[in-house]
Amino acid sequence: QTIHGLIEEQAESTPDAVAVECREQRLTYAELDRRANRLAHHLRQRGAGPDALVGLCLEPSPEMLVALLGLLNTGSAYVPLDPSFPGERLAFIAEDAGLTLVATRSDLLDRLQGSAADVFLLDAEADAIAAQSDVRPPCTVGPESLAYVIYTSGTTGRPKGVMIEHRAAVN
């Protein structure tokens, strides 16, 4: 299984069940799946795809979950970039991971100063994303594929990226 594959199965079996709830915002599994699919199609046009590492710089929210699943739907692996981290750490992670694309919001753009990656603004491109197909893109990854790379704290020296496959995350 893959992370996004499990969400897709849930969307098929219980489409109207609430998948995520945060304050007054709710998304059903069907809505989560459709939004992630639209984003995946748009991200593929921006260069996301199998074996690519894509940064995700968002605060925890339903939008972050949509973005994460959209990235996984492209076959890419994501690299979390916590917007509360110092800019130097974010720039180091982006460079060390070789990120060519980072998804974020306009209000967090200043956190990514110094990054050479192409920055994709989810809020600025919302209309283009909404215009995409909500049909699932073809699955191009399996359980042994990379799901994400998370960086250590770096307390013993330089932070190091730890690669996590789908099967490990699903386990």
Side-chain angles (χ1 to χ4, degrees), residues 6-7 10-34 62 65 69:
L6 290 173
I7 299 296
Q10 195 66 39
E12 289 174 7
S13 64
T14 59
D16 297 324
V18 175
V20 61
E21 184 173 3
C22 181
R23 296 179 194 93
E24 64 280 343
Q25 190 175 12
R26 283 185 169 178
L27 291 177
T28 65
Y29 280 100
E31 292 167 324
L32 177 62
D33 188 46
R34 284 192 300 269
L65 186 57
L69 291 172

Side-chain angles (χ1 to χ4, degrees), residues 37-43 45 127-135:
N37 292 338
R38 286 192 292 264
L39 180 58
H41 288 292
H42 194 71
L43 287 170
Q45 293 172 359
D127 290 340
I129 294 166
Q132 296 291 331
S133 168
D134 61 5
V135 174

Side-chain angles (χ1 to χ4, degrees), residues 68-91:
L68 180 131
L69 291 172
L71 286 174
L72 293 176
N73 281 348
T74 70
S76 297
Y78 77 97
V79 178
L81 298 169
D82 188 330
S84 70
F85 286 168
E88 302 81 38
R89 178 175 168 86
L90 296 177

Side-chain angles (χ1 to χ4, degrees), residues 47-150:
D51 302 320
L53 293 178
V54 177
L56 186 58
C57 185
L58 293 170
E59 294 164 338
S61 65
E63 178 184 42
M64 180 180 168
L65 186 57
V66 169
L68 180 131
L69 291 172
L71 286 174
L72 293 176
N73 281 348
T74 70
S76 297
Y78 77 97
V79 178
L81 298 169
D82 188 330
S84 70
F85 286 168
E88 302 81 38
R89 178 175 168 86
L90 296 177
F92 168 80
I93 292 171
E95 181 181 341
D96 189 66
L99 300 181
T100 56
L101 182 63
V102 175
T104 192
R105 297 182 49 80
S106 298
D107 58 324
L108 298 172
L109 185 57
D110 66 326
R111 306 298 307 137
L112 299 170
Q113 297 300 322
S115 172
D118 180 24
V119 178
F120 171 76
L121 300 174
L122 294 164
D123 52 336
E125 297 193 38
D127 290 340
I129 294 166
Q132 296 291 331
S133 168
D134 61 5
V135 174
R136 284 187 195 123
C139 184
T140 57
V141 297
E144 69 291 338
S145 299
L146 192 60
Y148 63 95
V149 176
I150 192 160

